[in-house]
């Protein structure tokens, strides 16, 4: 990560534990995280290079969602959500995440990244075959979000999403597999 000179690194399904904080710190990066509470697995994290102003947004519900505002110098602010939506997530939690996305979208440009567990969505159309995915997809379309990562990455499905309602995301690429899991790294540029 440091060698690649990345400004941001978002991770889903981190499985972090408080007792191992020293193992996950990376020099010159701020670490923000939202751990899964009550059972193992899950959680999200965001590493942000020290020269980027980052503020973690409070008052949002997302159980496994981390919301921040990002700015470099006096340039524009971009709002970002790092989201892990487990396959077993309930409709009530989905509705809360949808509300959060709507609230943040009212502030300006938003970037949503993460594993939304929606393998049934055809992002070219875009249509969903499952009701639970359709609710999320319809909400994203209502907020004018576009899916930028269009290359299948996990067993032929697009699970790891890069969604934006603005013009700042470009050069999206799907990279190598991360460890032994089915997910692959997704790289992209953000104009800030």
């Amino acid at each position: 990560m440091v060698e690649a000179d990345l400004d941001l690194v978002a991770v889903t399904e981190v499985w972090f534990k408080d007792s191992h904080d020293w193992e996950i710190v990376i020099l010159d990066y701020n670490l923000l995280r939202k751990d899964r509470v009550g059972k193992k697995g899950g959680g999200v994290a965001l590493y942000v290079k020290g020269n980027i102003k980052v503020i973690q947004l409070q008052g949002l519900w997302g159980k496994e969602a981390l919301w921040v505002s990002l700015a470099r110098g006096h340039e524009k602010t971009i709002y970002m959500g790092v989201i892990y939506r487990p396959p077993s997530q309930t409709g009530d939690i989905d509705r809360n995440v949808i509300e959060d996305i709507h609230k943040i979208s009212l502030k300006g440009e938003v970037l949503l990244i993460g594993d939304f567990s929606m393998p049934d969505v055809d992002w070219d159309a875009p249509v969903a075959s499952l009701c639970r995915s359709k609710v999320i997809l319809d909400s994203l379309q209502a907020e004018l979000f576009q899916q930028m990562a269009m290359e299948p990455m996990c067993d032929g499905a697009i699970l790891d999403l890069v969604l934006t309602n603005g013009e700042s995301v470009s050069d999206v690429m799907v990279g190598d597999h991360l460890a032994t899991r089915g997910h692959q790294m997704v790289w992209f540029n953000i104009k800030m």
Side-chain angles (χ1 to χ4, degrees), residues 79 81 101 105 108-114 116 118 121-126 136-151 158 160-172 186 188-189 191:
Y79 298 92
I101 291 169
S105 294
E109 187 169 349
V110 179
L111 172 61
L112 299 172
I113 58 178
F116 282 63
M118 294 173 25
V121 174
D122 174 353
W123 288 100
D124 288 321
I136 297 282
L137 182 62
D138 288 349
S139 299
L140 292 168
Q141 289 177 313
E143 300 291 343
L144 304 178
F145 278 92
Q146 298 174 12
Q147 162 61 331
M148 305 297 288
M150 298 301 287
E151 184 180 330
I158 299 173
D160 302 308
L161 307 183
V162 178
L163 296 151
T164 184
N165 65 353
E167 303 287 325
S168 294
V169 174
S170 65
D171 305 319
V172 179
V186 180
F188 55 91
N189 291 320
K191 289 179 248 156

Side-chain angles (χ1 to χ4, degrees), residues 10-17 33-36 40-46 64-65 82-88 113-117 154 159-160 178-179 181-184:
V11 187
T12 60
E13 298 185 71
V14 294
W15 292 55
F16 287 165
K17 295 180 178 159
R33 57 193 250 205
K34 182 114 181 231
D35 297 340
R36 179 179 281 178
K40 74 178 195 176
V44 295
L46 179 65
E64 292 188 64
V82 181
I83 297 172
Y84 173 56
R85 180 178 176 256
S88 61
I113 58 178
D115 179 353
F116 282 63
S117 298
C154 186
L159 294 184
D160 302 308
L178 187 59
R181 303 203 55 210
H183 294 273
Q184 291 171 257

